[in-house]
Amino acid sequence: MNLYLRYFDREILVNNVDDAIAFLAGIDEIGMNPVLEQDIRDYAASDVFYPKRYKTRPRVYFIIIKTEAATMQDFKEKKAVHGIEPMGKPVPSTLTRLTEEREGWYEGAIDFKRVLQVPGTGKFQYRDTHFVARCKAVSGQDCYNRIVDHLSQRVDSRSQFPSAKGKNFKFQYLGMCK
């Protein structure tokens, strides 16, 4: 396992933690100390593959990334990306799930900003609105499109709908029969 380190425009790809610590010790602003050194050693020895960043001063960090890349060019071209797969199963991306075609019934839930008139004042305001519907569709994206089409005919045109890829739209495939 190699380590990629970056501090502003200074970067290096090393194959052991001692070289990484030597690189960081050569940068005065980082202020290498025994506590930081031990934390870096613990991170390198752990099973964690998420990048780790360390604060050097307010809003200034250096970053360490574990990688399988043998050279800096391989790392830059993302040839050795380590995918995290829980329990051996790859997790499909949101876009893949949305566009996967499975004809049948879907239940879609959308949280959107609905424009409503305030009684008494005549002014308009946005209200967070949760809407759930079951519809026949061929994919998650088709379910989203059908729900948004339905709502846009029934609410103020200034209402704001979230992206299908965001956290404000969820869907579930229910099967072929309702």
Side-chain angles (χ1 to χ4, degrees), residues 7-145:
Y7 181 72
F8 289 104
D9 61 345
R10 299 179 206 174
E11 61 185 2
I12 191 170
L13 184 71
V14 296
N15 59 7
N16 64 52
V17 72
D18 293 324
D19 290 344
I21 291 170
F23 169 75
L24 294 171
I27 302 172
D28 294 332
E29 297 93 42
I30 290 178
M32 182 57 72
N33 60 49
V35 174
L36 180 60
E37 180 179 339
Q38 186 58 46
D39 194 54
I40 292 170
R41 289 185 188 281
D42 291 344
Y43 170 71
S46 72
D47 292 335
V48 174
F49 285 96
Y50 294 107
K52 179 118 181 182
R53 68 180 192 172
Y54 293 90
K55 190 175 200 174
T56 59
R57 58 182 192 266
R59 297 188 303 272
V60 176
Y61 301 87
F62 71 89
I63 189 168
I64 301 176
I65 300 172
K66 290 183 180 180
T67 181
E68 300 287 335
T71 66
M72 185 67 81
Q73 184 174 356
D74 287 349
F75 178 78
K76 296 282 182 168
E77 293 174 358
K78 296 181 172 104
K79 290 186 178 175
V81 175
H82 183 83
I84 298 171
E85 299 177 359
M87 293 189 268
K89 294 182 180 178
V91 177
S93 71
T94 305
L95 192 59
T96 304
R97 284 191 61 236
L98 267 174
T99 57
E100 179 186 14
E101 291 198 12
R102 288 174 66 186
E103 189 171 348
W105 287 91
Y106 286 82
E107 180 174 276
I110 188 168
D111 295 320
F112 68 101
K113 302 279 186 185
R114 183 177 185 178
V115 173
L116 293 172
Q117 187 174 22
V118 178
T121 64
K123 293 184 179 181
F124 292 89
Q125 69 179 17
Y126 286 102
R127 287 257 174 99
D128 290 331
T129 306
H130 181 75
F131 182 79
V132 179
R134 291 184 178 179
C135 62
K136 197 165 190 177
V138 294
S139 67
Q141 182 68 49
D142 187 35
C143 174
Y144 171 82
N145 292 340

